[in-house]
Amino acid sequence: MKVIGVVVLVIALFSCHNRNQRSSVKEIDSTNIVEIVMNIEGMTCEGCEVTIERGLLKLDGVIEVKADHNTGIAKVKADTVNLNKDDITRIINKVGYRVKE
């Protein structure tokens, strides 16, 4: 009996979790999405790429990020209604790199 109760509880928790995930999906107006290319100083390895990507993905409005330490470029797909280039630059500086103008 205890096993059945635990199984039912686990199923209930997972179904609530999945329902919450579906309801948190944002509608994005594709007319406001742009790709911003940033030249970044200080990236020397894949770890640098990951640091920049993770930092930028925390910003509301950032949809996708691809940083490349070999070229020194980060490409950011973002919804311009929620953020601008200054917001992106601020985060890159905050995680320890510098945007070349």
Side-chain angles (χ1 to χ4, degrees):
M1 256 344 222
K2 287 183 181 181
V3 173
I4 293 172
V6 170
V7 170
V8 170
L9 180 61
V10 169
I11 291 170
L13 288 173
F14 279 114
S15 66
C16 289
H17 178 69
N18 288 336
R19 188 172 31 249
N20 289 340
Q21 283 182 332
R22 281 193 293 267
S23 65
S24 66
V25 174
K26 296 178 187 176
E27 291 289 323
I28 298 174
D29 182 359
S30 63
T31 59
N32 298 316
I33 296 174
V34 297
E35 182 175 76
I36 301 168
V37 178
M38 313 280 289
N39 292 308
I40 301 174
E41 291 181 343
M43 284 194 293
T44 58
C45 64
E46 291 177 5
C48 298
E49 295 171 358
V50 171
T51 299
I52 289 169
E53 290 169 357
R54 285 184 182 165
L56 291 175
L57 285 169
K58 291 178 183 177
L59 279 174
D60 188 31
V62 171
I63 299 163
E64 183 179 285
V65 181
K66 179 61 184 142
D68 184 340
H69 75 278
N70 291 316
T71 62
I73 291 176
K75 294 180 180 179
V76 182
K77 273 190 186 175
D79 180 351
T80 57
V81 168
N82 294 317
L83 80 159
N84 59 42
K85 194 172 179 179
D86 291 337
D87 298 324
I88 295 168
T89 299
R90 181 179 45 80
I91 294 299
I92 291 171
N93 291 335
K94 184 177 180 179
V95 297
Y97 302 90
R98 189 170 155 258
V99 175
K100 291 189 244 178
E101 294 301 325

Coordinates of all heavy atoms in Angstrom, one line a residue:
M1 N 0.8 -1.2 0.0 CA 0.0 0.0 0.0 C 0.9 1.3 0.0 O 0.5 2.2 -0.7 CB -0.9 0.0 1.2 CG -2.4 -0.3 1.1 SD -3.1 -0.3 -0.5 CE -4.6 0.5 -0.1
K2 N 1.9 1.2 0.8 CA 2.8 2.4 0.9 C 3.4 2.7 -0.5 O 3.6 3.8 -0.9 CB 3.9 2.2 1.9 CG 3.4 2.3 3.3 CD 4.5 2.2 4.3 CE 4.0 2.2 5.8 NZ 5.0 2.1 6.7
V3 N 3.8 1.6 -1.2 CA 4.5 1.8 -2.5 C 3.5 2.5 -3.5 O 3.9 3.4 -4.2 CB 5.0 0.4 -3.0 CG1 5.5 0.6 -4.4 CG2 6.0 -0.1 -2.1
I4 N 2.3 2.0 -3.5 CA 1.3 2.6 -4.4 C 1.1 4.1 -4.0 O 1.0 4.9 -4.9 CB -0.1 1.9 -4.3 CG1 0.1 0.4 -4.8 CG2 -1.2 2.6 -5.0 CD1 -1.1 -0.5 -4.6
G5 N 1.0 4.4 -2.8 CA 0.9 5.8 -2.4 C 2.0 6.7 -2.8 O 1.8 7.8 -3.3
V6 N 3.2 6.2 -2.7 CA 4.4 6.9 -3.2 C 4.4 7.1 -4.7 O 4.7 8.2 -5.2 CB 5.7 6.2 -2.7 CG1 6.9 6.8 -3.4 CG2 5.9 6.2 -1.2
V7 N 4.0 6.0 -5.4 CA 3.9 6.1 -6.9 C 2.9 7.2 -7.3 O 3.2 8.0 -8.2 CB 3.6 4.7 -7.5 CG1 3.3 4.9 -9.0 CG2 4.8 3.8 -7.3
V8 N 1.8 7.2 -6.7 CA 0.7 8.2 -7.0 C 1.2 9.6 -6.7 O 1.0 10.5 -7.5 CB -0.6 7.9 -6.2 CG1 -1.6 9.0 -6.3 CG2 -1.2 6.6 -6.7
L9 N 1.9 9.8 -5.6 CA 2.5 11.1 -5.2 C 3.5 11.5 -6.3 O 3.5 12.7 -6.7 CB 3.1 11.0 -3.8 CG 3.7 12.3 -3.3 CD1 2.7 13.4 -3.2 CD2 4.4 12.1 -2.0
V10 N 4.4 10.6 -6.7 CA 5.4 11.0 -7.7 C 4.8 11.4 -9.0 O 5.1 12.4 -9.6 CB 6.4 9.8 -7.9 CG1 7.3 10.1 -9.1 CG2 7.2 9.6 -6.6
I11 N 3.8 10.6 -9.4 CA 3.1 10.9 -10.7 C 2.4 12.3 -10.6 O 2.4 13.1 -11.5 CB 2.1 9.8 -11.0 CG1 2.8 8.5 -11.4 CG2 1.1 10.2 -12.2 CD1 1.9 7.3 -11.5
A12 N 1.8 12.5 -9.5 CA 1.1 13.8 -9.3 C 2.1 15.0 -9.3 O 1.8 16.0 -10.0 CB 0.3 13.9 -7.9
L13 N 3.2 14.8 -8.7 CA 4.2 15.9 -8.7 C 4.8 16.1 -10.1 O 4.9 17.3 -10.6 CB 5.4 15.5 -7.8 CG 5.1 15.6 -6.3 CD1 6.3 15.0 -5.5 CD2 4.8 17.0 -5.9
F14 N 5.0 15.1 -10.9 CA 5.5 15.2 -12.3 C 4.5 15.9 -13.2 O 4.8 16.7 -14.0 CB 6.0 13.9 -12.8 CG 7.4 13.6 -12.4 CD1 7.6 12.5 -11.6 CD2 8.5 14.3 -12.8 CE1 8.9 12.1 -11.2 CE2 9.8 14.0 -12.4 CZ 10.0 12.9 -11.6
S15 N 3.2 15.5 -13.0 CA 2.2 16.1 -13.9 C 2.0 17.6 -13.6 O 1.8 18.3 -14.5 CB 0.9 15.3 -13.7 OG 0.4 15.5 -12.4
C16 N 2.1 18.0 -12.3 CA 2.1 19.4 -12.0 C 3.2 20.1 -12.6 O 3.1 21.2 -13.1 CB 2.0 19.6 -10.5 SG 0.5 19.1 -9.7
H17 N 4.4 19.5 -12.5 CA 5.6 20.2 -13.0 C 5.5 20.4 -14.5 O 5.8 21.4 -15.0 CB 6.9 19.3 -12.6 CG 8.1 19.8 -13.2 ND1 8.7 21.0 -12.7 CD2 9.0 19.4 -14.1 CE1 9.8 21.2 -13.3 NE2 10.0 20.3 -14.2
N18 N 5.1 19.4 -15.2 CA 4.9 19.5 -16.7 C 3.9 20.5 -17.0 O 4.1 21.3 -18.0 CB 4.6 18.1 -17.3 CG 5.8 17.2 -17.2 OD1 6.9 17.6 -17.2 ND2 5.5 15.9 -17.2
R19 N 2.8 20.6 -16.3 CA 1.8 21.5 -16.6 C 2.3 23.0 -16.4 O 2.0 23.8 -17.2 CB 0.6 21.3 -15.7 CG -0.6 22.1 -16.1 CD -1.9 21.7 -15.3 NE -1.7 21.2 -14.0 CZ -2.0 19.9 -13.6 NH1 -2.4 19.1 -14.5 NH2 -1.8 19.5 -12.4
N20 N 3.1 23.2 -15.4 CA 3.7 24.5 -15.2 C 4.7 24.9 -16.3 O 4.8 26.0 -16.7 CB 4.4 24.6 -13.8 CG 3.4 24.5 -12.7 OD1 2.2 24.9 -12.8 ND2 3.9 24.1 -11.5
Q21 N 5.4 23.9 -16.8 CA 6.4 24.2 -17.8 C 5.6 24.7 -19.1 O 6.0 25.6 -19.7 CB 7.2 23.0 -18.2 CG 8.3 22.7 -17.2 CD 9.1 21.5 -17.6 OE1 8.7 20.6 -18.2 NE2 10.4 21.6 -17.1
R22 N 4.5 24.0 -19.4 CA 3.8 24.4 -20.7 C 3.3 25.8 -20.5 O 3.2 26.6 -21.5 CB 2.7 23.4 -20.9 CG 3.2 22.1 -21.6 CD 2.0 21.3 -22.1 NE 1.2 20.9 -21.0 CZ 1.3 19.7 -20.4 NH1 2.2 18.9 -20.8 NH2 0.4 19.3 -19.4
S23 N 2.8 26.2 -19.4 CA 2.2 27.5 -19.2 C 3.2 28.6 -19.1 O 2.8 29.8 -19.3 CB 1.3 27.5 -17.9 OG 2.1 27.4 -16.8
S24 N 4.5 28.3 -19.0 CA 5.5 29.3 -18.9 C 6.1 29.7 -20.3 O 7.0 30.5 -20.3 CB 6.6 29.0 -17.9 OG 7.3 27.9 -18.4
V25 N 5.7 29.0 -21.3 CA 6.2 29.3 -22.7 C 5.7 30.7 -23.1 O 4.5 31.0 -23.0 CB 5.7 28.3 -23.7 CG1 6.1 28.6 -25.1 CG2 6.2 26.9 -23.3
K26 N 6.7 31.5 -23.6 CA 6.3 32.9 -23.9 C 6.0 33.0 -25.4 O 6.6 32.3 -26.2 CB 7.5 33.8 -23.7 CG 7.9 33.9 -22.3 CD 9.1 34.8 -22.2 CE 9.7 34.8 -20.8 NZ 10.9 35.6 -20.7
E27 N 5.0 33.8 -25.7 CA 4.7 34.1 -27.1 C 5.7 35.2 -27.5 O 5.8 36.2 -26.8 CB 3.3 34.6 -27.3 CG 2.3 33.5 -27.0 CD 2.2 32.5 -28.1 OE1 2.4 32.9 -29.3 OE2 2.0 31.3 -27.8
I28 N 6.4 35.0 -28.7 CA 7.3 36.0 -29.1 C 6.9 36.5 -30.5 O 6.7 35.7 -31.4 CB 8.8 35.5 -29.2 CG1 9.2 35.0 -27.8 CG2 9.7 36.5 -29.8 CD1 10.5 34.3 -27.7
D29 N 6.8 37.8 -30.6 CA 6.5 38.4 -31.9 C 7.8 38.4 -32.8 O 8.7 39.1 -32.5 CB 6.0 39.9 -31.7 CG 5.6 40.5 -33.0 OD1 5.7 39.9 -34.1 OD2 5.1 41.7 -32.9
S30 N 7.8 37.6 -33.8 CA 9.0 37.5 -34.6 C 9.4 38.7 -35.4 O 10.6 38.8 -35.8 CB 8.8 36.3 -35.6 OG 7.8 36.6 -36.5
T31 N 8.6 39.7 -35.4 CA 8.9 41.0 -36.1 C 10.0 41.8 -35.3 O 10.7 42.6 -35.8 CB 7.7 41.9 -36.4 OG1 7.1 42.2 -35.1 CG2 6.8 41.2 -37.3
N32 N 10.1 41.5 -34.0 CA 11.0 42.2 -33.1 C 12.3 41.4 -32.9 O 13.1 41.9 -32.1 CB 10.3 42.5 -31.8 CG 9.1 43.4 -32.0 OD1 9.2 44.3 -32.7 ND2 8.1 43.0 -31.3
I33 N 12.5 40.3 -33.5 CA 13.7 39.5 -33.3 C 14.8 39.9 -34.3 O 14.5 40.0 -35.5 CB 13.4 38.0 -33.4 CG1 12.4 37.6 -32.3 CG2 14.6 37.2 -33.3 CD1 11.9 36.2 -32.4
V34 N 15.9 40.2 -33.7 CA 17.1 40.5 -34.5 C 18.3 39.7 -34.1 O 18.3 39.1 -33.0 CB 17.5 42.0 -34.4 CG1 16.3 42.9 -34.9 CG2 17.8 42.4 -33.0
E35 N 19.3 39.6 -35.0 CA 20.6 39.0 -34.6 C 21.6 40.1 -34.4 O 21.8 40.9 -35.3 CB 21.0 38.0 -35.7 CG 22.3 37.3 -35.2 CD 22.8 36.2 -36.2 OE1 23.3 36.6 -37.3 OE2 22.6 35.1 -35.9
I36 N 22.2 40.1 -33.3 CA 23.2 41.2 -32.9 C 24.5 40.5 -32.9 O 24.7 39.5 -32.2 CB 22.9 41.8 -31.6 CG1 21.5 42.5 -31.6 CG2 23.9 42.8 -31.2 CD1 20.9 42.9 -30.3
V37 N 25.5 41.0 -33.6 CA 26.8 40.4 -33.7 C 27.7 41.3 -32.9 O 27.8 42.5 -33.1 CB 27.3 40.3 -35.1 CG1 28.7 39.7 -35.1 CG2 26.4 39.4 -35.9
M38 N 28.4 40.7 -31.9 CA 29.2 41.5 -31.0 C 30.7 41.0 -31.1 O 30.9 39.8 -31.0 CB 28.8 41.3 -29.5 CG 27.3 41.5 -29.3 SD 26.7 43.2 -29.2 CE 27.4 43.7 -27.6
N39 N 31.6 41.9 -31.2 CA 33.0 41.6 -31.1 C 33.5 41.7 -29.7 O 33.3 42.7 -29.0 CB 33.9 42.5 -32.0 CG 33.6 42.4 -33.5 OD1 33.7 41.3 -34.0 ND2 33.3 43.4 -34.1
I40 N 34.1 40.6 -29.2 CA 34.4 40.5 -27.8 C 35.8 40.2 -27.5 O 36.4 39.3 -28.2 CB 33.5 39.4 -27.1 CG1 32.0 39.7 -27.3 CG2 33.9 39.2 -25.6 CD1 31.1 38.6 -26.8
E41 N 36.4 41.0 -26.7 CA 37.8 40.8 -26.3 C 37.9 39.9 -25.0 O 37.1 40.0 -24.1 CB 38.5 42.2 -25.9 CG 38.7 43.1 -27.1 CD 39.4 44.4 -26.7 OE1 39.4 44.7 -25.5 OE2 39.8 45.0 -27.7
G42 N 38.9 39.1 -25.0 CA 39.2 38.3 -23.8 C 38.8 36.8 -23.9 O 39.1 36.1 -23.0
M43 N 38.0 36.4 -24.9 CA 37.7 35.0 -25.0 C 38.9 34.2 -25.5 O 39.5 34.5 -26.5 CB 36.5 34.8 -26.0 CG 35.2 35.2 -25.5 SD 33.9 34.5 -26.6 CE 34.1 35.4 -28.1
T44 N 39.3 33.2 -24.7 CA 40.5 32.4 -25.1 C 40.2 30.9 -25.2 O 41.1 30.2 -25.6 CB 41.6 32.6 -24.1 OG1 41.1 32.2 -22.8 CG2 42.1 34.0 -24.0
C45 N 39.0 30.5 -24.8 CA 38.7 29.0 -24.8 C 37.2 28.8 -24.8 O 36.4 29.7 -24.8 CB 39.3 28.4 -23.6 SG 38.6 29.0 -22.0
E46 N 36.8 27.5 -24.9 CA 35.4 27.1 -24.9 C 34.7 27.5 -23.6 O 33.6 27.8 -23.5 CB 35.3 25.6 -25.2 CG 35.6 25.3 -26.6 CD 35.6 23.8 -26.9 OE1 35.1 23.0 -26.0 OE2 36.0 23.4 -28.0
G47 N 35.5 27.5 -22.5 CA 34.9 27.9 -21.2 C 34.5 29.4 -21.2 O 33.4 29.7 -20.7
C48 N 35.2 30.2 -21.9 CA 34.8 31.6 -22.1 C 33.5 31.7 -22.9 O 32.6 32.5 -22.5 CB 35.9 32.4 -22.8 SG 37.5 32.4 -22.0
E49 N 33.4 30.9 -23.9 CA 32.2 30.9 -24.7 C 31.0 30.5 -23.9 O 30.0 31.2 -23.9 CB 32.3 29.8 -25.8 CG 33.4 30.1 -26.9 CD 33.6 29.0 -27.8 OE1 33.0 27.9 -27.7 OE2 34.4 29.1 -28.7
V50 N 31.1 29.5 -23.0 CA 30.0 29.0 -22.2 C 29.7 30.1 -21.2 O 28.5 30.4 -20.9 CB 30.4 27.7 -21.5 CG1 29.4 27.4 -20.4 CG2 30.6 26.6 -22.5
T51 N 30.7 30.8 -20.6 CA 30.4 31.8 -19.6 C 29.6 32.9 -20.2 O 28.6 33.4 -19.6 CB 31.7 32.4 -19.1 OG1 32.4 31.3 -18.4 CG2 31.5 33.5 -18.1
I52 N 29.9 33.4 -21.4 CA 29.2 34.4 -22.1 C 27.8 34.0 -22.5 O 26.8 34.7 -22.3 CB 30.0 34.9 -23.3 CG1 31.2 35.7 -22.9 CG2 29.1 35.8 -24.3 CD1 32.2 36.0 -24.0
E53 N 27.7 32.8 -23.0 CA 26.4 32.2 -23.4 C 25.4 32.1 -22.3 O 24.3 32.6 -22.3 CB 26.6 30.9 -24.2 CG 27.2 31.0 -25.5 CD 27.7 29.7 -26.1 OE1 27.5 28.7 -25.5 OE2 28.2 29.7 -27.3
R54 N 25.9 31.6 -21.2 CA 25.1 31.4 -20.0 C 24.6 32.7 -19.4 O 23.5 32.9 -19.0 CB 25.8 30.6 -18.9 CG 25.8 29.1 -19.2 CD 26.5 28.3 -18.1 NE 26.5 26.9 -18.5 CZ 27.3 26.0 -17.8 NH1 28.0 26.4 -16.8 NH2 27.3 24.8 -18.2
G55 N 25.6 33.7 -19.4 CA 25.2 35.0 -18.8 C 24.2 35.7 -19.7 O 23.2 36.3 -19.1
L56 N 24.3 35.6 -21.0 CA 23.3 36.3 -21.9 C 22.0 35.6 -21.9 O 21.0 36.3 -22.0 CB 23.9 36.4 -23.3 CG 25.1 37.4 -23.4 CD1 25.6 37.4 -24.8 CD2 24.7 38.8 -23.0
L57 N 22.0 34.3 -21.8 CA 20.7 33.6 -21.8 C 19.8 33.9 -20.6 O 18.6 33.6 -20.6 CB 21.0 32.1 -21.9 CG 21.4 31.6 -23.3 CD1 21.8 30.2 -23.3 CD2 20.3 31.8 -24.3
K58 N 20.4 34.4 -19.6 CA 19.6 34.8 -18.4 C 18.8 36.1 -18.6 O 17.9 36.4 -17.9 CB 20.6 35.0 -17.2 CG 21.2 33.7 -16.7 CD 22.1 34.0 -15.5 CE 22.8 32.7 -15.1 NZ 23.8 32.9 -14.0
L59 N 19.2 36.9 -19.7 CA 18.5 38.1 -20.0 C 17.1 37.8 -20.6 O 17.0 37.0 -21.5 CB 19.3 38.9 -21.0 CG 20.4 39.8 -20.4 CD1 21.2 40.4 -21.6 CD2 19.9 40.8 -19.5
D60 N 16.1 38.5 -20.1 CA 14.8 38.4 -20.7 C 14.8 39.0 -22.1 O 15.3 40.1 -22.3 CB 13.8 39.2 -19.8 CG 12.4 39.0 -20.2 OD1 12.1 37.8 -20.7 OD2 11.6 39.9 -20.1
G61 N 14.4 38.2 -23.0 CA 14.4 38.6 -24.4 C 15.5 37.9 -25.3 O 15.4 37.9 -26.5
V62 N 16.5 37.3 -24.6 CA 17.5 36.6 -25.4 C 17.0 35.2 -25.7 O 16.5 34.5 -24.9 CB 18.9 36.5 -24.6 CG1 19.8 35.6 -25.3 CG2 19.5 37.9 -24.5
I63 N 17.0 34.9 -27.0 CA 16.5 33.7 -27.5 C 17.6 32.6 -27.7 O 17.4 31.4 -27.4 CB 15.7 33.9 -28.8 CG1 14.5 34.9 -28.5 CG2 15.2 32.6 -29.4 CD1 13.9 35.5 -29.7
E64 N 18.7 33.1 -28.3 CA 19.8 32.2 -28.6 C 21.1 32.9 -28.6 O 21.1 34.1 -29.0 CB 19.5 31.6 -30.0 CG 20.5 30.6 -30.5 CD 20.1 30.1 -31.9 OE1 19.1 29.3 -32.0 OE2 20.7 30.5 -32.9
V65 N 22.2 32.3 -28.2 CA 23.5 32.9 -28.2 C 24.5 31.9 -28.7 O 24.5 30.7 -28.3 CB 23.9 33.3 -26.8 CG1 25.3 34.0 -26.8 CG2 22.9 34.2 -26.1
K66 N 25.4 32.3 -29.5 CA 26.5 31.5 -29.9 C 27.8 32.3 -29.9 O 28.0 33.3 -30.7 CB 26.3 30.9 -31.4 CG 27.4 30.1 -31.9 CD 27.6 28.8 -31.0 CE 28.8 28.0 -31.4 NZ 29.6 27.4 -30.3
A67 N 28.7 32.0 -28.9 CA 30.0 32.7 -28.8 C 31.0 31.8 -29.4 O 31.0 30.6 -29.3 CB 30.3 33.0 -27.4
D68 N 32.0 32.4 -30.1 CA 33.1 31.7 -30.7 C 34.5 32.4 -30.3 O 34.7 33.5 -30.7 CB 33.0 31.7 -32.2 CG 34.0 30.9 -32.9 OD1 35.1 30.6 -32.3 OD2 33.8 30.5 -34.1
H69 N 35.3 31.7 -29.5 CA 36.5 32.3 -29.0 C 37.6 32.4 -30.1 O 38.4 33.3 -30.1 CB 37.1 31.5 -27.8 CG 37.7 30.2 -28.2 ND1 37.0 29.1 -28.4 CD2 39.0 29.9 -28.4 CE1 37.8 28.1 -28.7 NE2 39.1 28.5 -28.7
N70 N 37.5 31.6 -31.2 CA 38.4 31.7 -32.3 C 38.2 33.0 -33.1 O 39.2 33.6 -33.5 CB 38.3 30.5 -33.2 CG 38.7 29.2 -32.6 OD1 39.8 29.2 -31.9 ND2 38.0 28.1 -32.7
T71 N 37.0 33.4 -33.3 CA 36.8 34.6 -34.0 C 36.6 35.8 -33.1 O 36.6 37.0 -33.6 CB 35.5 34.4 -34.9 OG1 34.4 34.2 -34.1 CG2 35.7 33.3 -35.9
G72 N 36.3 35.6 -31.8 CA 36.0 36.7 -30.9 C 34.7 37.3 -31.1 O 34.4 38.5 -30.8
I73 N 33.7 36.5 -31.7 CA 32.4 37.0 -32.0 C 31.3 36.2 -31.2 O 31.4 35.0 -31.0 CB 32.1 36.9 -33.5 CG1 33.0 37.9 -34.3 CG2 30.7 37.1 -33.8 CD1 32.9 37.7 -35.8
A74 N 30.3 37.0 -30.7 CA 29.1 36.4 -30.2 C 27.9 36.8 -31.0 O 27.8 38.0 -31.3 CB 28.9 36.8 -28.7
K75 N 27.1 35.9 -31.4 CA 25.9 36.2 -32.1 C 24.7 36.0 -31.2 O 24.6 34.9 -30.6 CB 25.8 35.3 -33.4 CG 26.8 35.6 -34.4 CD 26.7 34.7 -35.6 CE 27.8 35.0 -36.6 NZ 27.7 34.1 -37.8
V76 N 23.9 37.0 -31.1 CA 22.8 37.0 -30.1 C 21.5 37.2 -30.8 O 21.3 38.2 -31.5 CB 23.0 38.0 -29.0 CG1 21.9 38.0 -28.0 CG2 24.3 38.0 -28.4
K77 N 20.6 36.2 -30.8 CA 19.2 36.4 -31.3 C 18.4 36.9 -30.1 O 18.4 36.3 -29.1 CB 18.6 35.1 -31.8 CG 19.0 34.8 -33.2 CD 18.1 33.7 -33.7 CE 18.6 33.3 -35.1 NZ 17.9 32.1 -35.6
A78 N 17.7 38.1 -30.3 CA 17.0 38.7 -29.2 C 15.8 39.4 -29.7 O 15.7 39.8 -30.8 CB 17.9 39.6 -28.5
D79 N 14.8 39.5 -28.7 CA 13.6 40.2 -28.9 C 13.9 41.7 -28.5 O 14.1 41.9 -27.3 CB 12.5 39.6 -28.1 CG 11.2 40.3 -28.2 OD1 11.1 41.4 -28.8 OD2 10.2 39.7 -27.7
T80 N 13.9 42.6 -29.4 CA 14.3 44.0 -29.1 C 13.3 44.7 -28.3 O 13.5 45.8 -27.8 CB 14.6 44.8 -30.4 OG1 13.4 44.7 -31.2 CG2 15.8 44.2 -31.1
V81 N 12.1 44.1 -28.1 CA 11.1 44.8 -27.2 C 11.6 44.7 -25.8 O 11.3 45.6 -25.0 CB 9.7 44.1 -27.4 CG1 8.8 44.6 -26.3 CG2 9.1 44.4 -28.7
N82 N 12.3 43.6 -25.4 CA 12.7 43.4 -24.0 C 14.1 43.9 -23.7 O 14.4 44.0 -22.5 CB 12.5 41.9 -23.7 CG 11.1 41.5 -23.7 OD1 10.2 42.2 -23.2 ND2 10.8 40.4 -24.3
L83 N 14.9 44.1 -24.7 CA 16.3 44.5 -24.3 C 16.9 45.1 -25.6 O 16.4 45.1 -26.7 CB 17.1 43.3 -23.8 CG 17.7 42.3 -24.9 CD1 18.9 41.6 -24.3 CD2 16.7 41.3 -25.3
N84 N 18.1 45.7 -25.3 CA 18.8 46.4 -26.4 C 20.3 46.0 -26.3 O 20.7 45.3 -25.4 CB 18.6 47.9 -26.4 CG 19.1 48.5 -25.1 OD1 20.1 48.2 -24.5 ND2 18.3 49.4 -24.5
K85 N 21.1 46.6 -27.2 CA 22.5 46.2 -27.3 C 23.3 46.6 -26.0 O 24.2 45.9 -25.6 CB 23.2 46.9 -28.5 CG 24.5 46.4 -28.8 CD 25.0 47.0 -30.2 CE 26.4 46.5 -30.5 NZ 26.9 47.0 -31.8
D86 N 22.9 47.7 -25.3 CA 23.5 48.1 -24.1 C 23.3 47.1 -23.0 O 24.2 46.8 -22.2 CB 23.0 49.5 -23.6 CG 23.4 50.6 -24.5 OD1 24.4 50.5 -25.2 OD2 22.7 51.6 -24.6
D87 N 22.1 46.5 -22.9 CA 21.9 45.4 -22.0 C 22.8 44.2 -22.2 O 23.3 43.7 -21.2 CB 20.4 44.9 -22.1 CG 19.4 46.0 -21.8 OD1 19.6 46.8 -20.9 OD2 18.3 46.0 -22.4
I88 N 23.0 43.9 -23.4 CA 23.9 42.7 -23.8 C 25.3 43.1 -23.4 O 26.0 42.3 -22.8 CB 23.7 42.4 -25.3 CG1 22.3 41.9 -25.5 CG2 24.8 41.4 -25.7 CD1 22.0 41.8 -27.0
T89 N 25.7 44.3 -23.7 CA 27.1 44.7 -23.4 C 27.3 44.7 -21.9 O 28.4 44.3 -21.4 CB 27.3 46.2 -24.0 OG1 27.2 46.1 -25.4 CG2 28.7 46.7 -23.6
R90 N 26.4 45.2 -21.1 CA 26.5 45.2 -19.7 C 26.7 43.8 -19.1 O 27.6 43.6 -18.3 CB 25.2 45.8 -19.1 CG 25.2 45.9 -17.6 CD 23.9 46.5 -17.0 NE 22.7 46.0 -17.6 CZ 22.1 44.8 -17.3 NH1 22.6 44.1 -16.3 NH2 21.0 44.5 -17.8
I91 N 26.0 42.8 -19.6 CA 26.2 41.4 -19.1 C 27.5 40.9 -19.6 O 28.2 40.2 -18.8 CB 25.1 40.5 -19.6 CG1 23.7 40.9 -19.0 CG2 25.4 39.0 -19.3 CD1 23.7 40.8 -17.5
I92 N 28.0 41.1 -20.8 CA 29.3 40.7 -21.2 C 30.4 41.2 -20.3 O 31.3 40.5 -19.9 CB 29.5 41.0 -22.7 CG1 28.6 40.1 -23.6 CG2 31.0 40.8 -23.1 CD1 28.5 40.5 -25.0
N93 N 30.3 42.5 -20.0 CA 31.2 43.2 -19.1 C 31.2 42.5 -17.7 O 32.2 42.3 -17.1 CB 31.0 44.7 -19.0 CG 31.3 45.4 -20.3 OD1 32.2 44.9 -21.1 ND2 30.7 46.5 -20.5
K94 N 29.9 42.3 -17.3 CA 29.7 41.7 -15.9 C 30.4 40.3 -15.8 O 30.9 40.0 -14.7 CB 28.2 41.6 -15.6 CG 27.9 41.2 -14.2 CD 26.4 41.2 -14.0 CE 26.1 40.8 -12.6 NZ 24.6 40.8 -12.4
V95 N 30.4 39.5 -16.8 CA 31.0 38.2 -16.7 C 32.5 38.2 -17.0 O 33.1 37.2 -17.0 CB 30.2 37.2 -17.6 CG1 28.8 37.0 -17.1 CG2 30.3 37.5 -19.0
G96 N 33.0 39.4 -17.2 CA 34.5 39.5 -17.3 C 35.1 39.7 -18.7 O 36.3 39.5 -18.9
Y97 N 34.3 40.1 -19.7 CA 34.8 40.3 -21.0 C 34.5 41.7 -21.5 O 33.8 42.5 -20.8 CB 34.3 39.3 -22.0 CG 34.6 37.9 -21.5 CD1 33.8 37.2 -20.6 CD2 35.8 37.3 -21.9 CE1 34.1 35.9 -20.2 CE2 36.1 36.0 -21.4 CZ 35.3 35.3 -20.6 OH 35.6 34.1 -20.1
R98 N 35.0 42.1 -22.6 CA 34.8 43.5 -23.1 C 34.3 43.5 -24.5 O 34.9 42.8 -25.4 CB 36.1 44.3 -22.9 CG 35.9 45.7 -23.2 CD 37.2 46.5 -22.8 NE 37.1 47.8 -23.6 CZ 37.9 48.0 -24.7 NH1 38.7 47.1 -25.1 NH2 37.8 49.1 -25.4
V99 N 33.3 44.3 -24.8 CA 32.8 44.4 -26.2 C 33.6 45.4 -26.9 O 33.8 46.5 -26.4 CB 31.3 44.8 -26.2 CG1 30.8 45.0 -27.6 CG2 30.5 43.7 -25.5
K100 N 34.1 45.1 -28.1 CA 34.8 46.0 -28.9 C 33.8 46.8 -29.7 O 32.9 46.2 -30.3 CB 35.8 45.3 -29.9 CG 37.0 44.6 -29.3 CD 37.9 44.1 -30.4 CE 38.0 42.6 -30.4 NZ 38.9 42.1 -31.5
E101 N 33.9 48.1 -29.8 CA 33.0 48.9 -30.5 C 33.4 49.0 -32.0 O 34.5 48.9 -32.3 CB 32.9 50.3 -29.9 CG 32.3 50.3 -28.5 CD 30.9 49.7 -28.4 OE1 30.1 49.9 -29.4 OE2 30.6 49.1 -27.4

